[in-house]
Amino acid sequence: MSDTDTRIEYNTLINRLKSLANADNVAGMARFGISSANTLGVSVKDIRPLAKAAGHNHALALLLWDSGIHEARIMASLIAESKKISQEEMESWVKDLDSWDICDLCCNNLWSKTPFAYEQALAWTYRREEYVKRAGFVLLTALAVHDKKAADEKFISFFPRLLAEASDERNYVKKAVNWALRQIGKRNLSLNQAAITLGQEILDLNTRSARFIATDALRELKSPQVQKRLAIKQEKQPHR
């Protein structure tokens, strides 16, 4: 697709999104902590078909992101190409994050599929900005869910970061740390026991956010449902 065609497609998509704008939805989204800045109130359910029709187009995704429109950035996360996005582009996008939903969609739809996902996840957990730090832990969560072949050690290497940031009282950080701990602990029995041990260490920090993170995670990771599912999963693994 030529630059002119890309620009035409961009204008078409922006106009389509604007035609679907719903002020009532913007107010409803704000109640769930979604930024109302440059937000049209278009649901992800309505964005996905537009993104699917557009297909993967990295140049178009970059234009959509640069528009600053909330829904256009969601669409950008769906049509950007994981094999083409650079670490510099990821860094540029993560600095622009102003809402948890775009953060999570970028991590799950795009960044977790890049060859430098683990590297970026680790780096972002050290950053101070709330949404950048959240992106580090949500990206780790996405990898725990989707990278089925990853060795346990890849996730255990993040345990010091989970422990170090467990006392961050900011809502979107503590929820991301909790999410990552739970998803890592549901990969297999070995990681489950390691995550339970880490959860107890976090609980022992005895800060408000650490108690929230650990109590919730330990409840799920120790539950009979999770233990049974992981035991069945282990039984199905080929014996070596």
Side-chain angles (χ1 to χ4, degrees):
M1 183 180 289
S2 68
D3 290 345
T4 300
D5 289 339
T6 299
R7 176 61 66 171
I8 291 172
E9 179 73 0
Y10 163 80
N11 289 329
T12 299
L13 288 172
I14 293 295
N15 289 334
R16 180 61 178 145
L17 287 173
K18 289 181 177 179
S19 75
L20 296 171
N22 186 318
D24 290 338
N25 285 350
V26 174
M29 292 161 68
R31 288 194 291 272
F32 286 96
I34 295 173
S35 174
S36 58
N38 296 315
T39 300
L40 301 173
V42 184
S43 69
V44 175
K45 176 177 67 68
D46 290 328
I47 295 171
R48 287 189 184 278
L50 297 176
K52 184 176 181 180
H56 289 292
N57 184 327
H58 199 64
L60 178 58
L62 295 176
L63 287 176
L64 288 166
W65 188 271
D66 288 342
S67 73
I69 297 172
H70 187 94
E71 289 80 1
R73 286 182 166 176
I74 290 175
M75 189 180 296
S77 78
L78 292 165
I79 70 173
E81 298 175 70
S82 60
K83 293 181 179 179
K84 289 186 178 181
I85 194 167
S86 66
Q87 287 178 280
E88 290 75 21
E89 287 167 345
M90 287 174 64
E91 184 62 30
S92 176
W93 284 24
V94 83
K95 288 178 181 177
D96 288 337
L97 293 176
D98 64 351
S99 195
W100 64 264
D101 61 328
I102 297 181
C103 173
D104 296 4
L105 287 165
C106 282
C107 289
N108 282 282
N109 295 333
L110 179 61
W111 294 337
S112 63
K113 301 172 184 176
T114 64
F116 25 78
Y118 287 93
E119 178 184 346
Q120 288 298 135
L122 181 61
W124 287 341
T125 66
Y126 283 95
R127 294 276 287 278
R128 178 60 189 166
E129 307 99 303
E130 183 172 8
Y131 288 113
V132 179
K133 193 180 291 290
R134 178 181 175 86
F137 288 114
V138 175
L139 184 49
L140 174 61
T141 301
L143 290 164
V145 173
H146 299 300
D147 191 0
K148 305 295 186 183
K149 296 181 179 180
D152 291 357
E153 289 72 23
K154 279 199 169 185
F155 300 100
I156 291 174
S157 69
F158 279 85
F159 280 16
R161 299 302 307 137
L162 291 163
L163 183 62
E165 301 299 337
S167 291
D168 192 319
E169 296 291 344
R170 291 176 295 178
N171 193 45
Y172 296 121
V173 175
K174 69 182 182 183
K175 286 187 174 181
V177 173
N178 168 267
W179 195 10
L181 180 60
R182 288 187 291 110
Q183 292 305 135
I184 291 171
K186 291 189 289 185
R187 279 180 65 88
N188 57 52
L189 280 174
S190 178
L191 280 175
N192 177 265
Q193 292 306 306
I196 287 173
T197 299
L198 176 60
Q200 187 58 56
E201 291 179 30
I202 290 173
L203 188 62
D204 291 343
L205 294 174
N206 201 31
T207 63
R208 185 171 59 179
S209 60
R211 289 193 298 271
F212 161 79
I213 290 165
T215 302
D216 181 70
L218 290 171
R219 182 186 304 113
E220 181 175 15
L221 296 178
K222 291 180 176 182
S223 69
Q225 296 92 334
V226 168
Q227 293 296 315
K228 181 178 179 180
R229 181 176 61 80
L230 293 178
I232 293 172
K233 182 179 179 180
Q234 181 164 293
E235 288 177 2
K236 291 181 179 179
Q237 296 296 319
H239 295 290
R240 295 184 179 181

